């Protein structure tokens, strides 16, 4: 394709969802493969593994302002947790690796505050989806679903269609007025690992019914089996809190 984008083709250039995006890439063909290294932009081969996919997400979000202002406002309405990201040095990675690539395309919105905000929004709120024949997982933002409450003992499950539609289904009977929970953690991980992942990625400490229960609702996922045959498990959530200080 003329834009030199990864996975792109002549058919892609004419697709309604990609017309404006491909025009943007054509302003600087191949720039999406460049890497910023100690103040210098290094050109790299046009291979999928060299593509800055994070930069594509940012540019795509910026173009929404022109293409779909309602979606654009919905995305910007999500939390970015910039202060927490600064403390964890995540903003330095964005400034060094993503911002220089995005700014090659001379977008009006491509200033540091906007790029940092968008990267924070995507990192905090994105879902991993697995469309058929995609060959890998994809990241997507669903603004309404991103507002769901979290619990490591969820009462819903999510399905994704190949046309990128998310459906939320109840796993149990949910009475009117009861909270609807999704989980942003890997449910087969131990309590400590789940809480570390949620704290570093979603920026909150989970104290759900499963995390508060030393037996993890009788699953004993965090337990250790001694050679003597006894089963040991963590006694309380307070002991695990030390890992965050």
């Amino acid at each position: 394709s003329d834009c030199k984008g990864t996975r792109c083709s002549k058919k892609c250039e004419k697709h309604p969802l990609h017309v404006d995006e491909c025009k943007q890439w054509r302003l600087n063909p191949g720039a999406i493969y460049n890497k910023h290294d100690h103040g210098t932009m290094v050109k790299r081969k046009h291979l999928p593994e060299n593509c800055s996919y994070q930069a594509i997400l940012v540019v795509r979000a910026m173009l929404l302002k022109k293409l779909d202002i309602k979606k654009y406002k919905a995305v910007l309405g999500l939390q970015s947790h910039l202060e927490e990201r600064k403390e964890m040095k995540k903003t330095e990675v964005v400034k060094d690796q993503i911002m220089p690539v995005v700014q090659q395309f001379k977008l009006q919105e491509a200033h540091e505050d906007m790029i940092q905000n968008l990267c924070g929004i995507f990192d905090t709120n994105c879902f991993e989806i697995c469309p058929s024949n995609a060959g890998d997982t994809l990241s997507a933002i669903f603004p309404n679903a991103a507002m769901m409450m979290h619990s490591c003992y969820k009462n819903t499950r999510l399905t994704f269609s190949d046309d990128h539609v998310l459906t939320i289904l109840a796993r149990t009977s949910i009475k009117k007025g009861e909270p609807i929970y999704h989980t942003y953690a890997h449910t087969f991980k131990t309590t400590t690992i789940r809480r570390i992942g949620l704290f570093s990625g979603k920026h909150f400490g989970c104290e759900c019914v499963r995390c508060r229960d030393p037996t993890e609702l009788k699953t004993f996922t965090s337990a250790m089996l001694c050679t003597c045959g006894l089963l040991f498990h963590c006694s309380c959530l307070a002991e695990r809190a030390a890992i965050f200080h």
Side-chain angles (χ1 to χ4, degrees), residues 144-159:
N144 290 334
M147 302 303 292
M148 279 196 297
M149 297 174 65
H150 162 83
S151 173
C152 295
Y153 185 61
K154 61 182 181 179
N155 57 10
T156 64
R157 64 184 179 92
L158 309 181
T159 64

Side-chain angles (χ1 to χ4, degrees), residues 3 5 7 18 30 54 75 84 91 99 118 120 127 153 160 169 188 210 213 215:
C3 72
R7 317 277 187 200
H18 293 283
Q54 301 96 326
V75 170
E84 292 90 340
T91 52
M99 192 171 74
L118 287 172
F127 290 84
Y153 185 61
F160 302 95
L169 303 172
F188 290 109
R210 181 179 172 188
D213 183 356
T215 71

Side-chain angles (χ1 to χ4, degrees), residues 6 35 47 61 78 114 144 148 165 178 188 201-202 229 233 242:
T6 179
K35 180 181 180 181
L47 301 173
L78 298 173
M114 176 60 78
N144 290 334
M148 279 196 297
V165 174
E178 288 184 341
F188 290 109
K202 303 297 184 180
H233 54 78

Side-chain angles (χ1 to χ4, degrees), residues 130-150:
C130 304
S132 301
N133 303 317
D136 205 346
T137 58
L138 304 177
S139 295
I141 287 283
F142 297 91
N144 290 334
M147 302 303 292
M148 279 196 297
M149 297 174 65
H150 162 83

Side-chain angles (χ1 to χ4, degrees), residues 6-189:
T6 179
R7 317 277 187 200
C8 286
S9 64
K10 292 293 183 182
K11 183 179 179 181
C12 169
E13 290 176 350
K14 298 178 182 178
H15 194 285
L17 293 177
H18 293 283
V19 170
D20 288 272
E21 188 175 315
C22 286
K23 285 180 181 177
Q24 201 64 52
W25 303 139
R26 284 199 296 272
L27 295 176
N28 198 343
I32 202 68
Y33 300 96
N34 295 343
K35 180 181 180 181
H36 188 251
D37 188 17
H38 297 92
T40 303
M41 193 62 73
V42 180
K43 292 187 176 182
R44 299 189 293 179
K45 291 183 179 179
H46 298 176
L47 301 173
E49 59 266 29
N50 288 338
C51 182
S52 178
Y53 293 101
Q54 301 96 326
I56 290 177
L57 277 176
V58 172
V59 171
R60 193 168 285 175
M62 289 178 179
L63 291 175
L64 274 178
K65 186 174 184 179
K66 173 186 175 184
L67 301 175
D68 193 326
I69 189 65
K70 185 177 180 180
K71 286 184 179 179
Y72 178 77
K73 290 181 178 180
V75 170
L76 290 187
L78 298 173
Q79 287 188 317
S80 61
H81 290 284
L82 279 181
E83 292 304 315
E84 292 90 340
R85 288 171 61 79
K86 287 178 183 177
E87 292 179 6
M88 301 175 76
K89 309 297 183 183
K90 291 182 178 182
T91 52
E92 293 181 11
V93 175
V94 172
K95 186 174 182 178
D96 182 58
Q97 298 182 16
I98 300 175
M99 192 171 74
V101 177
V102 174
Q103 291 181 335
Q104 294 177 109
F105 299 99
K106 309 298 182 183
L107 286 158
Q108 184 178 359
E109 299 283 322
H111 49 80
E112 182 175 358
D113 288 347
M114 176 60 78
I115 295 172
Q116 292 284 5
N117 189 40
L118 287 172
C119 287
I121 287 171
F122 275 103
D123 283 350
T124 304
N125 300 280
C126 71
F127 290 84
E128 287 188 354
I129 62 176
C130 304
S132 301
N133 303 317
D136 205 346
T137 58
L138 304 177
S139 295
I141 287 283
F142 297 91
N144 290 334
M147 302 303 292
M148 279 196 297
M149 297 174 65
H150 162 83
S151 173
C152 295
Y153 185 61
K154 61 182 181 179
N155 57 10
T156 64
R157 64 184 179 92
L158 309 181
T159 64
F160 302 95
S161 64
D162 288 343
D163 55 352
H164 307 151
V165 174
L166 179 150
T167 303
I168 302 169
L169 303 172
R171 296 177 69 245
T172 61
S173 296
I174 303 174
K175 297 179 180 179
K176 183 178 180 180
E178 288 184 341
I180 298 175
Y181 291 111
H182 170 59
T183 183
Y184 299 103
H186 294 284
T187 54
F188 290 109
K189 300 290 186 181

